[in-house]
Amino acid sequence: MSEMRFAERMSRLGTESAFVVLARARQLEAEGREMIHLEIGEPDFSTPDNIIEAAVQALHAGATHYTPASGIREVREATARHVTRQTGSPTSPEQIVLVPGSKNILHFLLLALVEPGDEVLVPDPGYPIYSSLVSFVGAKPVSVPIREANQFRLDVEELRSLVTERTRVLVVNSPANPTGGVLTREDCEAIATLAQERDLFVLSDEIYSRIVYDGAHVSLYGIDGMAERCVLMDGLSKTWAMCGWRLGFGAMPVELAQRMDTLMINTSSCAAAFTQLAAIEAFESPESDAAVAAMVAEFSARRDLIVDGLNGIPGIRCHKPSATFYVFPNVEGTGWDERDLQRGLIEEAGVAALSGTAFGSWGRGYLRFSYANSQANLRKAVDRVAAFLATAHAQAVKPSR
Ligand SMILES: Cc1ncc(COP(=O)(O)O)c(C=O)c1O
């Protein structure tokens, strides 16, 4: 058989290295090695019982059919109320599109608005799917550097200098993966002013907006004047520990929601009916709010544990993030290249983490740890990293930068 020929666009598609590292970690486990998983961005908690129960009841009540492409009316209504409460921006059900995973919102936005050759500003380091999808649709991802020296907030003046005649869309992620960085109200207002001045459309990925420890989340979508030039991208995966349920949503201008409806008809048809109906329970039940508060409190204790632990290791400097379940320690002081250190930790120390450069070139010198794991395992992981760096063996194999 002749070799299969793939379309050129496939060469432009990236990946999430978390899945690649997870596969390697699982392979090592299958060989009998013990592994602490700090690579994957998924809460380790179970979905709250009341939400599971709502889905089971929905299934028994017949939620086994196609739904309207953008979602069941009453779920879009509940989502619109949720978005209005969370962002302060009055949002109607006609502005809501439900999708099987929030990445679809970005993909659909790019398909709907961006021409080949257009530029899209993306955070670097940032969630790798942003630049992957931008390249996939034939546009050019332009890195917006996110620096530790600026508490992992983008610098709005630098952002302004990166806007060109070809810039069409700006992707903003606060609270941010992989750094845990959070934008201030002043940052959001300055970004909104820039977007208006330069006629940019903004994708505001706020999927970590409920996993915040210090202060309140500021929604860029909620800033005055933004609703008409912004898509809010969010989903149930992180807040309610529902990654496997596959439900994301977007809030956006009605004309764009109509285009996304057509894109849904042409791709997934709709998100799963019972998953959609369970979202009402997630958004509106006090029991769900209590479950979220308990998960966030536990994440907060884990954050303190891992930040303090990492800062106690010679050569590592770890900024204390005020949101998400990620830390992004600087490892330059260890003398290790971050990719070699990631490999060394997984292969020799039984700790799966990601290199900062998996999130863009500005991630050089950093690692990302997800602390969605038990406090006992986090303690063990910190000890293993410290021991790995301290051993003569590690020194002997330490590659030069
Ligand atoms: C910043 C960010 N946005 C979006 C997503 C996608 O989440 P989902 O596809 O589960 O809605 C993730 C998942 O890791 C993420 O980190």
Side-chain angles (χ1 to χ4, degrees):
M1 212 173 92
S2 61
E3 205 179 313
M4 194 179 289
R5 274 192 303 124
F6 291 100
E8 180 273 332
R9 71 177 72 84
M10 288 307 291
S11 68
R12 289 185 260 123
L13 206 48
T15 186
E16 262 187 81
S17 71
F19 288 103
V20 178
V21 173
L22 177 65
R24 176 65 187 147
R26 292 245 188 275
Q27 191 184 359
L28 289 167
E29 284 175 316
E31 291 165 13
R33 303 270 294 279
E34 198 234 328
M35 191 65 60
I36 301 177
H37 290 275
L38 304 182
E39 74 279 43
I40 199 90
E42 168 164 40
D44 54 320
F45 306 111
S46 304
T47 304
D49 278 343
N50 61 309
I51 301 175
I52 293 178
E53 196 46 45
V56 170
Q57 278 178 21
L59 279 167
H60 285 306
T64 56
H65 299 276
Y66 286 133
T67 78
S70 294
I72 298 165
R73 177 77 196 179
E74 62 176 307
V75 184
R76 291 171 81 197
E77 285 169 359
T79 310
R81 287 194 293 275
H82 171 75
V83 169
T84 304
R85 267 194 313 273
Q86 291 297 310
T87 67
S89 182
T91 299
S92 71
E94 290 71 29
Q95 292 175 263
I96 301 292
V97 181
L98 301 172
V99 286
S102 63
K103 289 167 191 175
N104 292 280
I105 295 293
L106 172 63
H107 194 186
F108 292 166
L109 170 74
L110 295 170
L111 290 171
L113 291 191
V114 169
E115 299 287 358
D118 281 351
E119 292 176 5
V120 177
L121 292 160
V122 295
D124 181 352
Y127 183 48
I129 296 305
Y130 302 145
S131 56
S132 171
L133 285 176
V134 169
S135 302
F136 190 56
V137 302
K140 183 177 164 209
V142 175
S143 283
V144 180
I146 306 292
R147 295 190 179 83
E148 182 189 358
N150 201 30
Q151 292 86 45
F152 293 122
R153 292 154 42 225
L154 64 79
D155 175 330
V156 183
E157 281 320 301
E158 185 170 25
L159 176 66
R160 181 182 297 277
S161 74
L162 295 168
V163 177
T164 72
E165 288 305 306
R166 292 301 315 248
T167 313
R168 183 84 174 96
V169 172
L170 161 64
V171 176
V172 178
N173 176 213
S174 174
N177 175 10
T179 61
V182 166
L183 295 175
T184 63
R185 178 162 298 280
E186 292 69 37
D187 293 333
C188 288
E189 282 168 355
I191 293 168
T193 304
L194 176 64
Q196 272 147 13
E197 282 170 9
R198 301 300 302 265
D199 194 22
L200 304 179
F201 204 88
V202 177
L203 178 118
S204 183
D205 180 350
E206 302 184 21
I207 198 161
Y208 296 100
S209 61
R210 294 281 296 272
I211 306 175
V212 173
Y213 315 116
D214 315 314
H217 170 65
V218 181
S219 168
L220 178 57
Y221 169 85
I223 300 286
D224 273 355
M226 280 309 274
E228 66 201 47
R229 59 174 63 253
C230 183
V231 169
L232 171 74
M233 168 168 150
D234 203 339
L236 281 84
S237 296
K238 316 288 175 178
T239 303
W240 292 277
M242 292 173 70
C243 290
W245 293 63
R246 307 315 301 132
L247 190 63
F249 58 90
M252 65 203 79
V254 174
E255 317 83 279
L256 182 57
Q258 289 163 348
R259 300 308 187 284
M260 288 210 191
D261 184 90
T262 309
L263 285 161
M264 277 297 287
I265 290 171
N266 279 273
T267 52
S268 309
S269 296
C270 61
F274 60 94
T275 297
Q276 292 184 44
L277 289 165
I280 301 178
E281 180 73 14
F283 294 147
E284 309 217 312
S285 126
E287 221 175 312
S288 305
D289 283 345
V292 171
M295 289 190 269
V296 172
E298 173 60 21
F299 276 141
S300 170
R302 295 173 182 182
R303 172 198 61 168
D304 294 350
L305 191 162
I306 194 166
V307 169
D308 291 348
L310 289 172
N311 276 325
I313 300 174
I316 297 188
R317 180 182 69 228
C318 186
H319 170 80
K320 187 172 189 168
S322 60
T324 73
F325 42 79
Y326 306 113
V327 283
F328 203 63
N330 183 306
V331 296
E332 279 171 328
T334 65
W336 280 77
D337 172 281
E338 71 286 338
R339 286 156 301 183
D340 294 326
L341 184 53
Q342 180 227 290
R343 264 192 296 274
L345 289 175
I346 192 169
E347 301 294 333
E348 296 183 37
V351 176
L354 300 181
S355 77
T357 33
F359 299 89
S361 57
W362 287 92
R364 188 158 193 267
Y366 294 84
L367 287 182
R368 189 197 79 170
F369 293 96
S370 158
Y371 51 88
N373 208 322
S374 68
Q375 296 194 31
N377 275 344
L378 293 174
R379 269 190 212 98
K380 223 192 282 180
V382 167
D383 289 347
R384 287 184 186 181
V385 174
F388 175 78
L389 288 170
T391 54
H393 173 62
Q395 294 306 316
V397 299
K398 185 168 94 176
S400 55
R401 284 188 75 90

